[in-house]
Amino acid sequence: MDKLQHANQLLQWREQHQLSAEQLHQASGQFPLQPATGLWLAQANLILLFGTVVLLGAALIFFLAHNWPFMHYFTKFALAAGALALSGVIAIRSIPASLVQRAALLAAAILTGALLALIGQTYQTGADIWQLFAGWAALIMPLVLLSKSRACYLLWFVVLELALGRYLSTQSEFFWLLASPPMILTLALANLVMMLFAEFALPRLGVQANQTLVRLAALILIAPLTYGAGIGTWDNSYQLNLLVYLPLTAVLTLWYWRQRRDVLILALLAFSAITVATSMLASLLENADDFFAMNLLALFVIGSSVAAVIWLKKLQQTAVGTTA
């Protein structure tokens, strides 16, 4: 167990009154309770570097958009392609797997999307916006795999999600309000593939500390699953969504309870279950007295939420204790 986990354990014991203030002070001599100055500086450098890359990419895009009527299209292409080429040169000349190389590859990935948008806007190809995002995701995939960077994978996941969402929105003008059961199920299953990729493939591809990406993938998976299952308690045409929801969320809950002990993902699953269960209860009380039904639903939501919080708190304490 590293020093950070030791520090968390000490603070947990102090919170539970298992350590006195004097004992905590003595233990802090061996296990510092605050990050060292070097760790703060390293994290600050990381945030500033990748923040600068994102802001520079956005600056180029907004510069082109603001000066669009006043620039020849050759000038626009020269600026976008030159910035992309410069990012590629920096990535090639940098130390492999260094922060500079990863930042340059992120810049190249962002600028690839800007160049595609510039081509589409200039020549009016007639392609739908989902095709732009799909092409963007396909073109930057080698850069993402090479970077082994969480920031690049985060961008890739977002672009893939936008491509899928925009494609499904072509089937319905108001996607979330009027989406058909197969559309919601398709989105959920596609997000399941993304989550499995983040959970099992990213560590094999050399991406360190990938839990943030797993949690993001879990969020975008659970959202459409819950939406479709909630409607499925009222509308028979969505019953397949409900039938998929029940075993899938049960498997995910068992996995992240027994194998990973990820409290955040378990919290998402727990409150998703409360949402669907509340929808089921509301459908059963559809013909009941309104006052009785509303109060019963309120009591159920409050009671189940409190039970979920207590369970999650115990899991968190157990997880901290087992790492000691």
Side-chain angles (χ1 to χ4, degrees):
M1 186 176 66
D2 59 22
K3 292 184 177 180
L4 179 60
Q5 291 175 318
H6 279 295
N8 289 336
Q9 180 64 72
L10 291 173
L11 293 173
Q12 184 74 29
W13 284 340
R14 175 56 183 159
E15 182 183 354
Q16 297 172 355
H17 304 289
Q18 298 179 13
L19 284 179
S20 64
E22 294 77 11
Q23 290 173 325
L24 181 64
H25 179 71
Q26 293 175 359
S28 65
Q30 184 176 2
F31 304 108
L33 301 181
Q34 294 182 348
T37 304
L39 294 177
W40 283 108
L41 291 175
Q43 190 64 30
N45 288 334
L46 180 65
I47 294 173
L48 290 173
L49 177 61
F50 283 91
T52 300
V53 168
V54 173
L55 291 176
L56 285 175
L60 176 63
I61 295 171
F62 283 107
F63 176 81
L64 292 174
H66 179 73
N67 297 282
W68 187 268
F70 312 107
M71 298 173 64
H72 194 273
Y73 66 90
F74 279 144
T75 306
K76 301 171 189 174
F77 282 117
L79 284 174
L84 178 58
L86 178 61
S87 301
V89 170
I90 294 174
I92 293 172
R93 299 297 298 273
S94 301
I95 299 173
S98 65
L99 280 178
V100 175
Q101 186 185 67
R102 285 186 283 168
L105 289 171
L106 175 62
I110 294 173
L111 293 171
T112 299
L115 187 57
L116 285 175
L118 180 60
I119 294 172
Q121 184 66 27
T122 302
Y123 293 105
Q124 296 295 320
T125 59
D128 193 88
I129 192 171
W130 75 266
Q131 295 172 316
L132 168 65
F133 284 117
W136 185 7
L139 288 173
I140 68 174
M141 184 170 65
L143 302 177
V144 173
L145 294 174
L146 180 62
S147 71
K148 300 180 181 179
S149 165
R150 286 175 293 168
C152 286
Y153 275 100
L154 176 60
L155 174 65
W156 193 42
F157 282 6
V158 170
V159 173
L160 286 171
E161 190 69 15
L162 288 172
L164 179 60
R166 290 297 306 179
Y167 172 73
L168 292 176
S169 67
T170 61
Q171 313 300 314
S172 173
E173 183 177 359
F174 302 100
F175 171 54
W176 282 107
L177 295 178
L178 302 176
S180 64
M183 291 169 61
I184 297 177
L185 193 57
T186 299
L187 180 62
L189 294 179
N191 291 339
L192 174 62
V193 173
M194 189 179 298
M195 183 178 178
L196 293 175
F197 177 81
E199 179 68 65
F200 299 106
L202 288 186
R204 298 178 182 274
L205 293 173
V207 180
Q208 302 298 323
N210 66 310
Q211 200 58 31
T212 301
L213 295 172
V214 175
R215 289 168 176 172
L216 173 64
L219 175 62
I220 61 178
L221 164 64
I222 294 171
L225 274 178
T226 306
Y227 180 78
I231 299 177
T233 61
W234 292 86
D235 190 339
N236 290 335
S237 62
Y238 286 82
Q239 283 191 345
L240 179 60
N241 297 70
L242 180 60
L243 292 176
V244 171
Y245 172 87
L246 294 174
L248 183 55
T249 53
V251 170
L252 290 174
T253 302
L254 286 174
W255 173 260
Y256 286 102
W257 178 25
R258 296 294 187 182
Q259 301 296 328
R260 289 286 188 265
R261 282 298 172 95
D262 192 308
V263 177
L264 180 58
I265 294 179
L266 288 172
L268 292 173
L269 289 165
F271 287 101
S272 168
I274 291 172
T275 301
V276 175
T278 303
S279 181
M280 288 181 178
L281 182 58
S283 66
L284 293 175
L285 297 173
E286 182 178 8
N287 298 321
D289 178 71
D290 290 344
F291 179 81
F292 171 77
M294 291 299 296
N295 281 278
L296 182 59
L297 287 172
L299 289 173
F300 175 77
V301 171
I302 294 171
S304 57
S305 298
V306 170
V309 169
I310 293 173
W311 176 63
L312 292 167
K313 183 65 174 177
K314 289 182 178 180
L315 282 180
Q316 184 181 28
Q317 293 173 349
T318 304
V320 173
T322 55
T323 58

